[in-house]
Amino acid sequence: MGEQYSLSALLHSEVAWLTLLALALAVLLLRFRAAERSVYLNTLWLFLIGVFGQAGALALEALGFPGVASAMHTIFRIVTAISLIRLVGFGLFRLLLPLMGRVLPRIVEDVVILVLYAIYGLAQLRGAGVDLSSIVTTSAILTAVIAFAMQDTLGNLLGGLSIQIDNTVQVGDWVRVDDVIGQVRDIRWRSTLIETRNWETLVIPNSMIMKGRVAILGKREGQPLQWRRALRFMVDPGVPPARVMAIVNEEMRDVPIANVARSPAPTTVLHNFIHGNLEYELRYFLSDLLEDEMTDSMVRVHLFASLQRAGIRIAEEQRTVHAVSRDEAHADAVRKREITRRLEMLSGVDLFSVLSEDEMSELAEQLHYAPFARGDAITKQGNVPHWLYIVAFGEVEVRYEPPHGAPQVISTLRAGQFFGEMALLTGEARSATVIALTDVECYRLDVKSFQTLMHRRPEIAEGMSRVIASRRPELEKVREIFAAQPGPSAIEQADLLTRIRRFFGLRAKA
Ligand code: CMP
């Protein structure tokens, strides 16, 4: 026994090289897994305490306390072994396996380390001459008793284990458990933490996840993460369904909206017949599950604007006769308010200041309300012109689109400014593309009414030609930069006016 506790025996025993192994592992872990350094440092400290404790036992032995020394040696040897097993486990699961491209769930690491502890414990008992078979039997009975008493806890533990091992639910997944939707933040031994969009954290026992129905949202083998959303809206049956669906689908496919997946493309279906109306469902795929309501709202804004532009109203429930008559009075009031708004807007446009009150009212009646959602192309370069646009709300951007290369921003226009006059006055195609920078409300005047106005009030045509002359140089400048051959040089205002007069068949004032 005395030989066993001598210092040279300790130095020559396995303790020396095990200490080297522990130090090497700790250095590697601290170097490559710095984020968890406190765990490694604590374990290393524990190991060193074990080693120094064993040395202390030797000292006690030398001082003549063999009994205490023996007990102390055993305790510190166990401390050393436990911390070393932990370090080896860390090295295996956090360095070696990741290096080989395998990252296993933390629970597997915990279980393997526990099993190693058990094996070590049994080996120690066997070394001490204990009959292992009786231990195994006793512990089996004990385990059965404990398992029976702790059914729920064990269910949770095993649940946690299997969730992590078979990788069905992973941290970061969006899930629906019962009626709650949230993102998995952590899978622990007993429970899974789910954070909802309302900033709640749900603690769900793992056994419930294993037994209950959990939907993993937006996940499909081999596909990007995206979750189908369905927005319903109703339209009067007087509008042909094909038209409604075409308008909405075109808007949804042409305009990029944040977090709306391009593929599969959004689609609209006629979903139901409700109270004499047609109910449609617009379906799209949401790519960031956190932004569900924001994106729904953006999609609804686009949907609503595209329908309004086409003169289609979102339907209300059909009412009784009494309600309908009240509706008419309401509609009349709405119309008067609308005309007042148009007149206010027109009075803000300098060019129309020459018009009499009656002419203004007539013009106000002729305008068509045209809302656009952010990102919409209001008019496209090269198109045949149909409208003159006046901005009533929001901001638009005028872009020249060169044959090759990215679109060039020429100007931004705000409420009270107009666009689309160039093509209408010169008979050419649209000179530029105009995009809604914000949600925009425009009023537009059709070609015929515009031409009538120009004939009746040539001074407005003159005013417009001055605006064109001031806008044109910028357009020409970009065109020339991008054209292989320089485009036509800036047209003098006098020239422009002559061309406009010729196009409209107007006579010059004497
Ligand atoms: P039109 O050519 O009919 O269609 C595109 C419109 O963009 C054009 O009429 C003008 O109203 C507008 N536009 C073109 N160039 C400019 C510019 N430099 N500044 C402001 N608006 C412009």
Side-chain angles (χ1 to χ4, degrees), residues 344-491:
E344 266 171 25
M345 183 207 64
L346 286 175
S347 65
V349 183
D350 284 349
L351 273 181
F352 298 135
S353 58
V354 293
L355 294 178
S356 71
E357 217 169 284
D358 285 350
E359 285 171 322
M360 274 287 214
S361 299
E362 193 185 336
L363 181 57
E365 295 274 357
Q366 287 168 340
L367 293 177
H368 297 252
Y369 177 63
F372 293 89
R374 182 154 58 112
D376 275 341
I378 301 174
T379 182
K380 288 208 161 180
Q381 184 177 319
N383 277 4
V384 177
H386 298 294
W387 309 94
L388 172 80
Y389 291 85
I390 307 168
V391 183
F393 172 84
E395 239 182 27
V396 302
E397 191 169 80
V398 183
R399 294 180 189 167
Y400 173 68
E401 295 180 337
H404 308 289
Q408 303 294 308
V409 177
I410 308 177
S411 174
T412 37
L413 303 173
R414 296 183 177 76
Q417 293 183 288
F418 56 82
F419 60 90
E421 76 295 342
M422 286 185 181
L424 284 182
L425 281 169
T426 59
E428 293 164 0
R430 291 287 189 211
S431 61
T433 292
V434 181
I435 304 279
L437 275 187
T438 59
D439 288 349
V440 167
E441 285 180 289
C442 285
Y443 283 96
R444 48 189 185 189
L445 189 66
D446 63 277
V447 190
K448 231 174 146 50
S449 310
F450 178 76
Q451 285 175 342
T452 313
L453 182 69
M454 293 299 118
H455 278 105
R456 211 188 282 161
R457 289 301 204 148
E459 56 269 52
I460 296 187
E462 264 174 51
M464 283 216 176
S465 74
R466 277 193 294 275
V467 174
I468 296 180
S470 71
R471 288 178 172 180
R472 198 127 188 164
E474 254 167 292
L475 188 63
E476 295 298 342
K477 205 166 70 191
V478 209
R479 267 190 192 157
E480 274 170 28
I481 294 172
F482 282 89
Q485 307 230 304
S489 61
I491 300 168

